[in-house]
């Protein structure tokens, strides 16, 4: 087995994110944020384990090698190096291990890891980072959360959840028997002051006028087509912006969104109205790219493109809000059962028993509903309801 592959100079100077092997399973883990930490990968009692050995700022290469060698010898002898006396990991070291465990299962690993580290660095590390995981109390966690609970409620919830994940790992590893960020903390924190904010939406009566007003502007044709297609299909922004010609069956008038792009991770068939088909023909597959609505550079439209189109023209809503407009119209004007509208929005049936026996996606019923929605949007409009800033 190769050993001592790294040098002190390399550890000090390397900035390229990645894992750099030294030997005995020891690796220098360099993050995109610039942070560096030691991780040792070993097979411990038949299971692969990633053991955090601390920050490279505080643990030298020589110290990391010494601990890594002792751990390797212990594991080779059938023991568990994480159980050695005096080796209860700090919260910071445990966090490295937990992130390593979760990394492969995260859809956007780099982004998720950066979010975990940034939130805990900003709000938790000063209080609990250097403390062994078996010594962290609910009072410590409360001290982390209370200062931001009223002003940054969602951030505080995420911080609590991430601390809890580390504590659950510590329980599983036998370092402690309780979760100091669990139910007791949840009950201790105030519940008032949290107001759920819905996405800003237009009344369904105003959507047709909004479209007419936008089409009278000098906005780019691809952006306009993408927004109208989004409204007609009641789809999410990302589903439309990333839509490809391979997902479209023009003859059958069906758009099949793959599970990988759906919020619920299930394939979704969208019936295309006559106007939606017209939009696709106007967009035309002759751009030399697979994207239906590419940006000017041929790439995926940015998340802000459609929002900016609405914002710049004084339309007080966001793209996602048109799903609410569609749902309200369906409830008040279509007279179809609510489950058909919910399926059009690709929502999951909250009735688990009913969902278990449902063997159809009500596609033909949804086709009729989407054609009626398109007809409603195509009615004569005055374009006077929605204010346009000049």
């Amino acid at each position: 087995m190769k050993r001592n592959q790294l040098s002190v100079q390399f550890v000090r100077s390397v900035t390229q994110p990645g894992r750099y092997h030294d030997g005995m399973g020891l690796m220098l883990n360099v993050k995109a944020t610039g942070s560096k930490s030691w991780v040792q990968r070993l097979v411990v009692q038949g299971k692969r384990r990633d053991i955090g050995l601390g920050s490279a700022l505080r643990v030298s290469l020589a110290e990391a090698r010494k601990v890594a060698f002792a751990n390797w010898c212990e594991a080779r002898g059938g023991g568990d190096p994480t159980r050695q006396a005096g080796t209860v990991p700090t919260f910071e070291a445990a966090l490295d291990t937990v992130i390593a465990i979760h990394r492969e299962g995260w859809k956007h690993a780099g982004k998720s890891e950066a979010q975990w580290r940034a939130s805990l660095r900003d709000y938790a590390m000063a209080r609990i980072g250097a403390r062994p995981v078996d010594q962290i109390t609910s009072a410590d966690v409360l001290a982390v959360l209370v200062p931001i609970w009223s002003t940054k409620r969602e951030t505080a919830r995420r911080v609590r959840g991430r601390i809890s994940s580390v504590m659950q790992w510590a329980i599983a590893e036998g370092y402690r028997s309780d979760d100091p960020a669990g139910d007791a903390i949840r009950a201790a924190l105030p519940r008032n002051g949290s107001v759920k904010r819905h996405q800003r939406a237009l009344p369904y009566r105003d959507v047709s006028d909004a479209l007419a007003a936008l089409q009278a502007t000098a906005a780019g044709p691809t952006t306009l087509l993408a927004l109208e297609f989004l409204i007609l299909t009641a789809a999410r922004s990302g589903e439309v912006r990333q839509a490809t010609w391979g997902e479209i069956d023009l003859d059958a008038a069906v758009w099949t969104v793959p599970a990988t792009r759906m919020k619920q991770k299930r394939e979704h068939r969208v019936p295309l109205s006559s106007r939606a088909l017209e939009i696709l023909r106007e967009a035309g597959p002759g751009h030399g790219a697979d994207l239906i609505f590419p940006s000017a550079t041929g790439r995926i439209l940015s998340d802000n493109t459609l929002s900016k189109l609405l914002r710049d023209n004084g339309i007080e809503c966001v793209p996602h809000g048109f799903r609410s407009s569609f749902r309200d119209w369906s409830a008040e004007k279509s007279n179809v059962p609510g489950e058909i509208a919910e399926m059009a929005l690709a929502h999951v049936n909250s009735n688990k028993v009913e969902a278990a026996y449902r063997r159809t996606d009500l596609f033909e019923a949804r086709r009729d509903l989407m054609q009626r929605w398109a007809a409603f949007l195509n009615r004569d409009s005055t374009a006077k309801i929605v204010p346009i800033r000049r």
Side-chain angles (χ1 to χ4, degrees), residues 321-335:
F322 289 112
R323 287 166 56 83
S324 294
S325 305
F326 164 78
R327 187 64 181 88
D328 290 346
W329 168 84
S330 178
E332 294 189 18
K333 293 295 184 180
S334 73
N335 297 319

Side-chain angles (χ1 to χ4, degrees), residues 8 32 60 67 81 93 111 161 175 234 245 262 264 327 329 384-385:
V8 173
S60 70
V67 174
K111 181 178 180 181
Y175 293 123
W245 289 107
M262 294 301 300
Q264 302 299 337
R327 187 64 181 88
W329 168 84
K384 294 180 180 178
I385 297 177

Side-chain angles (χ1 to χ4, degrees), residues 33-145:
T33 59
S35 67
K36 304 174 186 179
S37 60
W38 298 108
V39 177
Q40 186 178 22
R41 177 166 292 179
L42 293 172
V43 175
V44 178
Q45 297 177 351
K47 297 181 180 179
R48 193 183 76 175
R49 298 281 298 277
D50 282 352
I51 305 171
L53 304 184
S55 168
L57 292 176
R58 287 190 286 274
V59 179
S60 70
L61 176 58
E63 291 170 332
R65 283 173 174 165
K66 182 178 179 181
V67 174
F69 180 71
N71 288 346
W72 183 82
C73 291
E74 179 75 11
R76 289 276 292 180
D80 185 346
T82 66
R83 296 289 190 274
Q84 295 178 35
T87 61
V88 176
T90 64
F91 180 84
E92 182 178 20
L95 175 64
D96 288 339
T97 301
V98 170
I99 287 177
I101 292 170
H102 285 281
R103 187 183 291 111
E104 293 182 4
W106 280 331
K107 184 177 180 180
H108 303 291
K111 181 178 180 181
S112 296
E113 179 175 344
Q115 290 173 341
W116 271 57
R117 291 189 182 280
S119 64
L120 294 172
R121 177 198 65 217
D122 293 343
Y123 302 109
M125 285 302 184
R127 176 85 186 192
I128 64 176
R131 189 167 298 185
V133 291
D134 63 340
Q135 296 180 22
I136 295 172
T137 67
S138 293
D140 293 322
V141 180
L142 202 60
V144 168
L145 298 178

